[in-house]
Structure formats: structure tokens, C-alpha cells
Amino acid sequence: MHSRRQFLQRSALLAALAALAPLLCAPSPAAEALLGRRIPSSGEELPAIGLGTSRSFDVVLDDAALAPLVEVLRTLVEGGGSLVDTAPSYGNAERVSGELARRLGVRDRLFLASKVSSTGREAGRRQIEASFKALQTARIDLLQVHNLQDTATQLGLLRELKAQGRLRYIGVTHYLESAHDDLLAVLRRERVDFVQFNYSVGERNAERRLLPFCADHGIATLINRPFMRGTLLARVKERPLPPLARELGATSWAQLLLKYVLAEPAVTAVIPASATSRYMADNLLAGQGRLPDAGQRARIVELFA
């Protein structure tokens, strides 16, 4: 039996999708709760569909530029999502994320993740303090060492801030398959709550060792580049959805790609970027309904071979 909170989340998502139906051109979704996964280090449940902000949130802070992004964040939250992943290196995205949260009054409903990408302890501290200011918050849910830059130094600083209660979780990130061995090396010697990396139908290297290691050692995973920055969607732009999509309740290629990622049990959440509420709502639908089994995942891979 679903909780009252889940019922309200489902109702909000259905209302958002109903308003967007002419754009989505898809049947009404089933009234199901958004998939959640546990963070191993705490047991806290995190909605499995989040929001990345690289490029999409790098806009000027004026009403005209922010208006569509307000609706993106509103759609995420009303659809049961909470995770927003950003970084100081994403231009204005971090400041935009903080401002949107303030305007909507939803900071307490968000799981805010950002990054540090500095060399040296003091430079790292300055950048992190700037992130608190940009995000307009006294506590950041997750702070990650971005692309393994000065990892040992920055993780030491993050642990201090976590002990002070200013951070809830800490982690490390990268976005290239060529860095997966380096990520594994860090995970073997450093205790972190999260690791973020690329994983998709087109970039499956993480299935070999990285995802199994995280599953075995209780490390939460955030997945970036699920569409390979649009490359995968461009391949199928003119192709109709296959019968497999109907089997899984997917009404778009994006949902099919996200379901492939979410079917890996070691995945905690996936963070596709979105600049429109239409795409945000569509992404959320991937977190409802069936996920592909091993045979269906193999068929999805074949579709993009």
C-alpha cells in the first residue's frame, strides 16, 4: 500500500503530465510512485531520477531566462524527485539552482549535490564556501571531488565539513570511461558515500568492475551522461519506438535508455540534464513501471549497436 506522500507525489506528476500531454504526445502514465533507491551508508531513500544542470542551467539570472527552468524544477519536485546535481564549473548553473530553489520555496524538498574542483586546501575551502552562498543553503546534501582533482586533499576537507554537519554526504566523480580505473583506485583507499560516473547503453564499461565494486562495498552511485550528451537520442531520432518499449511501458526513447540504466541494481540514481519541463516530465516516467530484465537489456543494446 502506498503512503499518503507517495499518493500526493503521483497525483502531482499526473497533473503535470496532463498539462504537458499535447507536447509529450503520449498516453497517460499509470499512477505509480517514482522509483527510489537506498543510499547504502545511511539507508536514506533517494528518488532514482534526478536532474543534472551542466549546460542546461548555465543561463543569466533574469526572469526571462529562469522562467522555463522554474518549471523544470517544479516538475521534478511535484513528480516526486529531489536530486539536483550541479557544480561551480558549470558556469551559472550552481547560482541558478540556488535561486530557483529559493523562488519555489523547495529547498527542504531537495537533495542538493555540488562539487569541488580546486587544487590545494585553501582554494578548495574558498570554492566550497562560494557554493554554499550560490546555493543559498547552510548545508549541502552531497559534495563531490570533481573529476578526481586533488582528491586526497579535498576529501580531507570534505570529511571535516561533514563532521561539522555542513555536509551530509561526500563523494568523487568523473565523466569518462578512461577514468574508471582511477575511480576504482580511489574507492579502494578512500571511504566515500557516493561515486558519480558515466554509464549508458553506449558506454557500458562500468558494468565490468565499477558497478559490482560499489554494490559489494556499499557505495551509492550517481550516473551521468545516460544519453551520451544526446548522441544516443540522435541515433534514433527518426526511428519509431520498438515493441520492446511497450513491454516496459516506455513512451519515448529517452525513457527506454533511462530504464536500461536503472535496471542495474547498483545504480542509485541517474541525473539527465533538462532545460524544459516537457523533458523533465518524460524523464520521470522512466522511474515508473517495469524495468528491463537481462534479456530485454540485451535487446536494448542491440537497438543502439
Side-chain angles (χ1 to χ4, degrees), residues 10-270:
R10 293 197 306 276
S11 299
L13 177 55
L14 288 169
L17 287 165
L20 292 165
L23 294 174
L24 288 171
C25 297
S28 297
E32 298 181 28
L34 183 62
L35 175 68
R37 295 269 169 85
R38 299 286 178 184
I39 300 171
S41 65
S42 68
E44 176 184 356
E45 186 171 278
L46 187 65
I49 300 288
L51 171 64
T53 61
S54 177
R55 299 185 179 184
S56 58
F57 273 39
D58 183 16
V59 301
V60 295
L61 273 78
D62 64 33
D63 290 345
L66 293 179
L69 299 180
V70 167
E71 296 310 311
V72 170
L73 188 60
R74 189 195 313 276
T75 300
L76 172 76
V77 174
E78 291 184 352
S82 63
L83 170 60
V84 177
D85 180 81
T86 190
S89 59
Y90 295 170
N92 272 339
E94 196 177 46
R95 291 176 60 209
V96 167
S97 299
E99 178 60 17
L100 296 180
R102 184 194 69 80
R103 291 189 181 199
L104 285 173
V106 295
R107 171 62 189 98
D108 291 344
R109 298 172 66 183
L110 295 180
F111 186 101
L112 287 179
S114 192
K115 305 176 183 76
V116 57
S117 53
S118 294
T119 298
R121 179 182 172 86
E122 290 311 309
R125 184 181 293 278
R126 287 193 298 271
Q127 189 180 56
I128 291 168
E129 293 301 329
S131 291
F132 280 108
K133 183 176 180 180
L135 292 169
Q136 303 184 44
T137 187
R139 187 170 68 165
I140 294 174
D141 296 291
L142 167 63
L143 205 61
Q144 306 152 96
V145 179
H146 200 188
N147 295 340
L148 301 179
Q149 185 169 340
D150 195 15
T151 306
T153 300
Q154 303 309 327
L155 279 179
L157 178 56
L158 297 188
R159 289 191 182 98
E160 291 179 16
L161 294 171
K162 183 180 179 182
Q164 294 167 15
R166 301 185 69 195
L167 306 177
R168 298 180 61 221
Y169 301 100
I170 64 173
V172 293
T173 82
H174 216 288
Y175 68 101
L176 296 175
E177 286 191 326
S178 59
H180 287 187
D181 287 346
D182 293 333
L183 280 172
L184 275 169
V186 169
L187 297 179
R188 287 190 174 106
R189 68 174 183 264
E190 303 275 9
R191 181 61 185 169
V192 297
D193 303 295
F194 279 82
V195 58
Q196 180 182 147
F197 50 85
N198 60 306
Y199 174 50
S200 69
V201 170
E203 294 179 316
R204 306 195 305 278
N205 184 65
E207 293 175 354
R208 295 174 54 247
R209 292 191 297 157
L210 193 50
L211 283 163
F213 182 91
C214 292
D216 291 343
H217 293 81
I219 303 169
T221 63
L222 299 186
I223 304 303
N224 59 43
R225 293 172 54 103
F227 307 136
M228 293 177 62
R229 287 192 170 171
T231 300
L232 293 173
L233 292 173
R235 289 186 197 174
V236 294
K237 184 177 181 180
E238 305 301 328
R239 290 164 58 183
L241 279 173
L244 174 59
R246 187 176 297 106
E247 295 175 25
L248 298 171
T251 56
S252 71
W253 282 104
Q255 291 172 38
L256 200 60
L257 289 166
L258 293 175
K259 282 179 177 288
Y260 176 89
V261 172
L262 292 174
E264 165 56 61
V267 167
T268 306
V270 59

